[in-house]
Amino acid sequence: MKLFRPTFRDGKADVFPELEREFGLGMTTPNAAARLLELIAQGKVVSRTACDEMISILALQQDRAMIPRSLPFERDSILVANKTGWDEEKLPDASGVKGDVRGDIAYVKGPKARYVIAICARRIRDQRATVDNEALVTGAELSRMVYDAWNPAPSR
């Protein structure tokens, strides 16, 4: 994870100007974001109390279009504490197109397992700002597959 400058500074890219032109205020990897959320879920960032509050705040997330979208809330008792992200690419690809960047990182606590998941995509050509966006639909499908692997349905 790298932050190139404070959000409300004068807007000058002076630390890593080339990276800032491509990535904006900062950059991370799905692995780094998931690791941070894992440490928060384990109570290892600042204090257990602070981590519990962070999880509570993330659980209030109202954008439920990717990771939480297809989870069986009606059937199971599930907690999803997630952080979403969406931006346009700063630089165009080789064909001159600026795609979107979409991401969702979550701590999921189901009836049988708890886990952290990070789904991030770049160069997304479907730029619709709807829940039918391909990246959101695919991310929701991936999320459900992971959930089902860790929380198998009871045998009948």
Side-chain angles (χ1 to χ4, degrees), residues 83-145:
K83 171 65 180 94
T84 62
W86 174 17
D87 201 1
E88 181 182 59
E89 294 277 351
K90 304 298 181 234
L91 300 176
D93 64 15
S95 66
V97 175
K98 284 185 182 181
D100 275 355
V101 177
R102 297 275 182 137
D104 197 357
I105 295 96
Y107 166 65
V108 179
K109 185 177 176 185
K112 297 180 182 164
R114 58 190 180 126
Y115 57 91
V116 171
I117 179 173
I119 301 173
C120 301
R122 280 188 76 187
R123 304 281 184 216
I124 301 166
R125 297 218 180 226
D126 180 356
Q127 295 180 305
R128 293 176 297 160
T130 71
V131 294
D132 295 327
N133 179 285
E134 285 180 44
L136 299 178
V137 171
T138 302
E141 291 169 357
L142 290 169
S143 172
R144 182 59 188 256
M145 285 189 265

